[in-house]
Amino acid sequence: MAAPLSSWRRDPFYWAVLLPVVVLIAFWVWPLFGALLVSMADFTHDMHAPRFVGLENYTRLLSNPSTWATLGRTLLFCATVAPAMTLGGILLGLLCGEARPGMGLARGMLYVPVVTSFVVTALLWKGLLIEDGLINHTLSLLTGVLGLPAVRIPWLANPTTAMVGVTLAVVWKGLGYYAMFAVAQFQQRNKSLDEAALLDGASRWDLLWRITLPQLRPAVFLILLISTVGALKTFTEIYVMTNGGPANATETLAVSMLQRGFGELDLGGACVLGFVLMGLVIVLSAAQQWLQQQGQPHSETRR
Amino acid sequence: MRQATAKKSDVLLWAYCVVSLLPLWWLLVTALKPLGLPTESLPGALLPTAITWEHFQKVVAAEGFMRAFLNSVLVSTTTAVLNVASSTLLAFALHRQLLPCQGLWMTLILLVTAAPFQVIMIPLYLWVSTLGLTDRPESPVPVWLGLILPYAISGFGILFLKSAFEQIPRSIFDAATLDGCNQWQTLCRVALRPITPSLITLFVISLIGNWGEFLWPNLLIVEPTHLTLPLALARLQQAFTDNWRLIAAGAIISLTPTMMLFVWLQRYIVPTQNAEGEKG
């Protein structure tokens, strides 16, 4: 029921809404379709005169083993980050979910890393993870007790440990955010079930495993999906901490896109990688939409 | 029995809270630590045994750092204001079904929300260059327009405010129409007040997000005097490798406004629905 044209003259709303419409189309919708065009063009010969090459960029990149290595690293990164966020988020959500005095403060403290910017997070962990850094010194205290030699791992400079360092920073920053999903779900649980179970003589352990956790299932899936999408898009931490190195050990899709596009000026190839990324994100987002609809059967009747 | 386990779980919770804040505490202590005292070994690294402001003074005096701070204030505030305004307008239009092709708009917005910024980054870069919004020495205005405009609207903001509008009873809108309000008056006089908390939430989320934005400004900005704070911070680290005291001081300066905003407006930011009478 769009408004008849005559009302456009009398109602300033229609003039005001034109501006965001134009911005949305010009800076989001058009580039999104533009990415399709760029992915089918060759910019490597002349940056200013792209040549239409059809699906050549796609076949070139998909037959390149380094693309698959990058994709593998990206998926491995997601497969580490997402379960860590889910387990940690659910655990923290359970610990601070109840409405008791002090829990508001705890949630606030958990959220401080979330509002810390990406660059500060990256620099902070870079400083902690240097060879002579606080993390190694702390670990050395532990190994010292056990009579083992001091730990001197150059975390970010070593191809086998660089991803561990990046993962640590990403999980530290994200955990509080995902914990709030668990808190929200925890507070919506059916509390009369707890009382019934306790009356029936259930232990607290039974209550947790058989009553509370099953009710948190929607939050588990939501955190898994959203944190996987977040991990797929992770860029700034990796770029600032390792720039994809050492020896490409931390080069995920998002990082490799930028290097291909603006390092090698292969804009078409970079857009192909972008679509691989977007394909993964869209599948996950669709799953999330579907799950959210499953989780709220009464959303229509709510006022 | 119940009490005892509750206490054990509290110990775990507070232990994690403290441990997760230790890195930031280390950052602050390091920024204040005089040269010669340890910043790496325990327990000295976490104890502010002596305090000096010289690293802060050095960073503030460093070429362009405070300039970048001001640039960031300007760019991120403008972006956040525009984002809230334009998302409100579009969310209202979509909620009241005022635009032609409602379904198409919803599809496009969902698509745009799902698309990672990396996908549109390259065409956007080419497009913004075509529009002449690249960095030039004489004025920061073109490049800032290039920075601000894409973030002057967000698919997330539209969907978030649309769901806020959906919480307003339909009868209120009907009453406004009966009273002869046009859409502009309905929006300004009737619909804005009930969604004010959501507007504040979107503003703060957008402000904090833009304050830390790195990828897009890093592509667009060339001139040292036009840098935003995250870029200046990354360059500070490149210029002073291994001088963690200076880098820490720069990081603390960039964190301060966010943290003040967070402490002040925490209940709008931390998403705890149904906090059961407790202020989040």
Side-chain angles (χ1 to χ4, degrees), chain A residues 219-242:
Chain A
V220 172
F221 288 115
L222 198 64
I223 299 174
L224 260 181
L225 286 170
I226 297 182
S227 63
T228 310
V229 172
L232 280 173
K233 293 183 186 174
T234 302
F235 172 80
T236 309
E237 289 102 321
I238 301 179
Y239 183 81
V240 175
M241 287 175 87
T242 62

Side-chain angles (χ1 to χ4, degrees), chain B residues 142-225:
Chain B
V143 73
W144 285 355
L145 274 178
L147 286 189
I148 290 169
L149 283 172
Y151 285 99
I153 190 143
S154 66
F156 162 77
I158 299 169
L159 296 176
F160 178 70
L161 292 180
K162 184 170 175 283
S163 69
F165 280 128
E166 276 157 14
Q167 304 299 313
I168 303 176
R170 209 196 163 87
S171 55
I172 291 188
F173 288 114
D174 294 341
T177 314
L178 274 179
D179 286 345
C181 286
N182 62 25
Q183 299 301 342
W184 181 253
Q185 290 160 329
T186 311
L187 174 65
C188 298
R189 294 186 194 166
V190 179
L192 277 189
R193 184 162 303 179
I195 66 154
T196 308
S198 301
L199 294 176
I200 298 175
T201 302
L202 181 61
F203 177 75
V204 181
I205 290 178
S206 170
L207 191 60
I208 292 178
N210 283 301
W211 183 258
E213 178 61 33
F214 180 81
L215 173 54
W216 183 231
N218 190 41
L219 282 181
L220 228 50
I221 302 177
V222 185
E223 294 296 321
T225 51

Side-chain angles (χ1 to χ4, degrees), chain A residues 191-210:
Chain A
K191 287 177 203 74
S192 55
L193 286 182
D194 294 12
E195 286 153 27
L198 286 173
L199 273 179
D200 286 347
S203 70
R204 258 188 79 84
W205 196 245
D206 287 334
L207 193 68
L208 175 69
W209 281 102
R210 302 188 176 202

Side-chain angles (χ1 to χ4, degrees), chain A residues 11 26 28 132 134 172 187 257, chain B residues 20 40 127 150 183 273-274:
Chain A
D11 196 337
W28 285 93
D132 192 29
L134 189 58
W172 174 79
Q187 290 177 345
M257 257 195 86
Chain B
S20 80
E40 271 88 37
W127 174 223
Q183 299 301 342
Q273 306 132 10
N274 317 325

Side-chain angles (χ1 to χ4, degrees), chain A residues 1-3 10-14 16-17 20-21 23-35 38 43 92 95-96 99-100 102-112 115-117 119-120 123-128 130 132-134 137-138 141 172 175 180 183-184 187-188 191 198 204 233 235-236 239-240 254 257-258 262 267 270-271 274 277-278 281-282 285 303, chain B residues 2 5 9-10 12-14 16-17 20-21 23-24 26-27 40-42 45-46 86 89-90 92-93 96-100 105 108-112 114-128 131 149-150 153 167 170 182-184 187 208 212 214-215 218-219 230 233-234 237 244 247 251 254-255 258-259 262 266 269-276 278 280:
Chain A
M1 50 168 234
R10 280 177 281 117
D11 196 337
F13 181 81
Y14 293 97
V17 83
V21 164
V23 172
L24 183 72
I25 293 180
F27 293 98
W28 285 93
V29 178
W30 164 237
L32 192 56
F33 289 100
V38 175
F43 285 80
L92 290 172
L95 292 178
C96 72
R100 283 185 284 133
M103 292 302 107
L105 177 67
R107 279 175 226 148
M109 285 168 79
L110 289 178
Y111 217 72
V112 167
V115 292
T116 305
S117 72
V119 175
V120 173
L123 291 178
L124 169 60
W125 282 92
K126 203 173 176 179
L128 287 170
I130 53 174
D132 192 29
L134 189 58
H137 277 278
T138 313
L141 282 186
W172 174 79
L175 209 48
M180 296 312 141
V183 168
Q187 290 177 345
Q188 283 171 15
K191 287 177 203 74
L198 286 173
R204 258 188 79 84
K233 293 183 186 174
F235 172 80
T236 309
Y239 183 81
V240 175
M257 257 195 86
L258 204 85
F262 294 93
L267 299 184
C271 276
L277 192 65
M278 181 162 167
V281 171
I282 291 218
S285 306
R303 265 288 122 109
Chain B
R2 230 196 121 126
T5 26
S9 73
D10 274 6
L12 198 60
L13 172 65
W14 291 109
Y16 180 81
C17 286
S20 80
L21 292 185
L24 288 170
W26 171 77
L27 195 70
E40 271 88 37
S41 57
L42 283 171
L46 295 175
S86 55
L89 287 167
L90 259 181
F92 184 78
R96 304 293 298 147
Q97 309 196 333
L98 303 173
L99 296 175
W105 283 109
L108 283 178
I109 288 167
L110 282 175
L111 204 61
V112 155
F117 182 76
Q118 281 97 343
V119 179
I120 72 155
M121 169 180 82
I122 286 166
L124 189 63
Y125 179 81
L126 296 172
W127 174 223
V128 160
L131 292 175
L149 283 172
I153 190 143
Q167 304 299 313
R170 209 196 163 87
N182 62 25
Q183 299 301 342
W184 181 253
L187 174 65
I208 292 178
F214 180 81
L215 173 54
N218 190 41
L219 282 181
L233 206 55
Q237 193 249 324
W244 287 103
I247 300 163
S254 97
L255 268 181
T258 334
M259 287 305 157
F262 173 67
Q266 190 196 331
I269 307 171
V270 181
T272 46
Q273 306 132 10
N274 317 325
E276 293 172 323
E278 188 201 11

